[in-house]
Amino acid sequence: MKKRLFLFTPVLALSLSSCGIGNHHDISEYIAKEINYKSNFRILQLTDVHLADKDDQNLQFKFMDLTINDAHPDMIIVTGDLFTIASKSTAKRLFSYLDSKNVPWTVTFGNHDEQCFFSVDWMTSYLNNYGSNCVFKDIQDDDVHGNANFAINLKKDGKTFEQLIIMDTNRYDFGHGFGYDHVKDNQIKWYESLVDYTTTANGGLTESLMFYHIPLPEIDNAWDEAHNADGTTNVHYQYGEKREKTCPPDYNSGFFDKIVAKGSTKAMFFGHDHINDFRVEYKGVVFSYGIKATDRLYNDKDMIGGQVIILHDDHSLSYEQIRHNYKEVL
Ligand SMILES: [Fe+2]
């Protein structure tokens, strides 16, 4: 999201140290859950909820109901910036709301999720122990940076049909001027290990979809080249509008090159830039913004709702963009 909306709070400063460095865990421990795949599996991506203590939360839940009711999801994934200036009770209310939809749900975190009256570590621990329909799992004492690095396997006929990879693109980076953080080297190694492990365990390269918050640095090249593509390359414009400058990290840690080299991940879904809603295929990988879920922080009134990602039996994807207006709930 836009740098001009950055808020520096004491809570943020205290939570900058949150990451688990120090212990190695077996890669198989990062499979949070196995869920049965069914034909035309519908994943609702919500993003940038930014729920705050001061909000009319019932109104926000009523609004999100419009999107969720339209989506008929088999699963809900929220791609970060869940909260801004929120207390634990607000966090618990949103998680309880998501859980009430009676489908598996999970989240990753955004840069604003540390600007609250709790730490991201607290939220991680709370979700790790949530149970019920929550399928979140982060190993907190590991040597993988961030608070949401795990996978969910969609199973069919005893094998992993598709892997959903949840990653934490972290928060701010004060080491390269002032900007957004990047995916760390130990996360890239973790991703590589996960793909290798799944390839072996599943008897072959397994397709995956990835969910995170901050777009990777290649987002601008992806957009620009897709608009200049002549149809002869693996770069294609698919859908949507770019209404604001993208805000990826300044530093490129090489994660996208690794993703292309591994050949597993076919599409990536993220948020962060509230009024960008586009999808392009770049070097064989789809970059896709979600649609902002609420009108909290900056937004365009005609670009609020959610995106449904529909996974088909042949591994192809189709999409439904759901948009609603607050006039429907006021
Ligand atoms: Fe945001």
Side-chain angles (χ1 to χ4, degrees), residues 1-2 47-50 80-82 84 110-112 213 271-274 292 296-298:
M1 64 155 296
K2 290 178 178 175
T47 197
D48 295 82
V49 179
H50 285 284
D81 277 5
L82 312 167
T84 306
N111 47 293
H112 281 278
H213 182 68
H272 190 53
D273 301 327
H274 295 184
K292 193 175 179 339
R296 302 296 77 199
L297 294 194
Y298 79 96

Side-chain angles (χ1 to χ4, degrees), residues 162 191 205 207-210 218 221-222 225-226 229 232-238 256-269 279-288 315-317 319:
E162 191 92 9
Y191 170 79
L205 186 65
E207 290 199 6
S208 60
L209 308 177
M210 191 183 294
E218 285 79 2
N221 282 348
E225 290 186 30
T232 62
T233 66
N234 57 353
V235 181
H236 305 281
Y237 169 83
Q238 290 191 351
F256 184 69
D257 287 345
K258 180 62 71 180
I259 288 167
V260 172
K262 297 305 289 181
S264 164
T265 300
K266 300 302 179 189
M268 309 187 292
F269 303 92
R279 191 172 68 243
V280 295
E281 182 184 350
Y282 182 61
K283 299 185 179 179
V285 181
V286 171
F287 280 74
S288 177
H315 291 279
S316 65
L317 299 171
Y319 305 88

Side-chain angles (χ1 to χ4, degrees), residues 43-47 67 71 77 239 268-270 277-279 288-291 305-309 318-322:
I43 301 168
L44 171 61
Q45 181 197 5
L46 300 173
T47 197
T67 300
I77 301 178
Y239 159 86
M268 309 187 292
F269 303 92
F270 44 86
D277 173 22
F278 66 77
R279 191 172 68 243
S288 177
Y289 280 96
I291 301 174
Q307 169 168 249
V308 185
I309 303 142
S318 60
Y319 305 88
E320 292 175 7
Q321 268 64 40
I322 297 169

Side-chain angles (χ1 to χ4, degrees), residues 185-223:
D185 289 347
N186 56 34
Q187 291 180 280
I188 298 172
K189 287 194 179 74
W190 173 86
Y191 170 79
E192 188 170 22
S193 299
L194 177 69
V195 172
D196 289 346
Y197 166 76
T198 304
T199 300
T200 302
N202 208 34
L205 186 65
T206 304
E207 290 199 6
S208 60
L209 308 177
M210 191 183 294
F211 298 81
Y212 53 79
H213 182 68
I214 300 173
L216 301 184
E218 285 79 2
I219 187 69
D220 286 319
N221 282 348
W223 171 260

Side-chain angles (χ1 to χ4, degrees), residues 60-132:
Q60 296 303 332
F61 295 147
K62 219 166 135 187
F63 182 81
M64 285 193 284
D65 275 347
L66 297 174
T67 300
I68 294 171
N69 289 341
D70 281 356
H72 301 291
D74 296 307
M75 183 173 182
I76 299 172
I77 301 178
V78 190
T79 50
D81 277 5
L82 312 167
F83 307 107
T84 306
I85 317 297
S87 61
K88 288 180 182 177
S89 62
T90 291
K92 290 176 181 178
R93 280 202 80 196
L94 178 62
F95 298 141
S96 173
Y97 169 77
L98 292 169
D99 199 59
S100 73
K101 301 307 172 188
N102 287 320
V103 293
W105 61 275
T106 196
V107 306
T108 186
F109 303 121
N111 47 293
H112 281 278
D113 287 312
E114 65 181 9
Q115 295 157 5
C116 293
F117 301 109
F118 51 78
S119 67
V120 180
D121 279 340
W122 171 80
M123 192 159 39
T124 304
S125 176
Y126 185 76
L127 290 169
N128 273 341
N129 294 291
Y130 199 92
S132 192

Side-chain angles (χ1 to χ4, degrees), residues 7-9 12 99 102 159 169 184 229 243 264 324 328:
L7 299 167
F8 190 90
T9 69
L12 180 156
D99 199 59
N102 287 320
K159 296 184 77 172
T169 42
K184 309 294 182 182
R243 294 184 183 175
S264 164
H324 281 284
E328 298 170 66

